[in-house]
């Protein structure tokens, strides 16, 4: 229910990209994925449905990177290089938000449960992961 949602604000390092992400409670599952790109970026993220995410500014500052199946859309700021959110392969109708890109004052009130996803063995693990239920 979006009326009871908690709005989390965030963005990239230089501030060009700003967004809000609505989560249904103050408890958020944050996933550490070990796929080739998440591992290199240390991208721990939570997933929201696409209608719970709003890009406030910086659309023209975003650059798209895709690889492999090209299902995921890895957006990053062309000015500072930070990926503050992306469209994940696990939830193509959702948005994966990089946890450390949430404003500190908003993050302070959230209880985080850290989970892992074995993205190196994506096909073997996606069926048993609860990440697909997030969007």
């Amino acid at each position: 229910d979006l009326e009871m949602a908690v709005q989390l604000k965030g963005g990239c390092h230089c501030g060009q990209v700003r967004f809000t992400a609505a989560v249904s409670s103050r408890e958020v599952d944050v996933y550490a994925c070990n796929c080739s790109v998440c591992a290199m970026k240390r991208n721990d993220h939570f997933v929201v449905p696409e209608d719970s995410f709003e890009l406030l500014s910086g659309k023209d500052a975003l650059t798209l990177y895709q690889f492999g199946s090209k299902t995921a859309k890895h957006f990053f700021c062309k000015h500072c290089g930070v990926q503050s959110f992306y469209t994940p392969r696990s939830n193509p109708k959702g948005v994966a938000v990089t946890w450390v890109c949430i404003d500190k004052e908003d993050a302070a009130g959230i209880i985080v449960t850290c989970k892992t996803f074995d993205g190196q063995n994506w096909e073997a693990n996606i069926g048993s992961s609860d990440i697909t239920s997030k969007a």
Side-chain angles (χ1 to χ4, degrees):
D1 183 32
L2 289 179
E3 290 179 17
M4 302 300 290
V6 178
Q7 296 290 329
L8 301 175
K9 296 178 297 298
C12 67
H13 187 260
C14 72
Q16 293 283 318
V17 176
R18 295 291 299 161
F19 61 83
T20 61
V23 294
S24 59
S25 76
R26 295 202 170 278
E27 297 182 12
V28 174
D29 291 339
V30 173
Y31 292 85
C33 176
N34 67 353
C35 78
S36 60
V37 72
C38 285
M40 284 186 159
K41 290 187 289 185
R42 307 284 299 183
N43 183 22
D44 294 352
H45 55 273
F46 63 97
V47 180
V48 297
E50 58 189 355
D51 63 357
S52 295
F53 180 88
E54 182 181 3
L55 182 62
L56 301 173
S57 63
K59 183 175 182 179
D60 55 352
L62 293 172
T63 297
L64 174 64
Y65 173 68
Q66 292 181 286
F67 68 99
S69 71
K70 299 199 183 320
T71 303
K73 294 177 176 67
H74 298 271
F75 296 102
F76 62 94
C77 176
K78 65 184 176 185
H79 301 289
C80 66
V82 169
Q83 176 186 285
S84 52
F85 68 92
Y86 73 103
T87 303
R89 181 179 175 195
S90 63
N91 291 288
K93 297 219 180 278
V95 178
V97 179
T98 304
W99 175 249
V100 295
C101 290
I102 296 298
D103 294 347
K104 290 184 191 306
E105 57 273 11
D106 287 355
I110 302 298
I111 299 166
V112 172
T113 299
C114 297
K115 297 188 171 191
T116 58
F117 179 72
D118 184 2
Q120 289 183 4
N121 299 292
W122 199 93
E123 288 80 6
N125 292 296
I126 193 62
S128 62
S129 175
D130 68 344
I131 197 169
T132 58
S133 68
K134 303 298 177 180

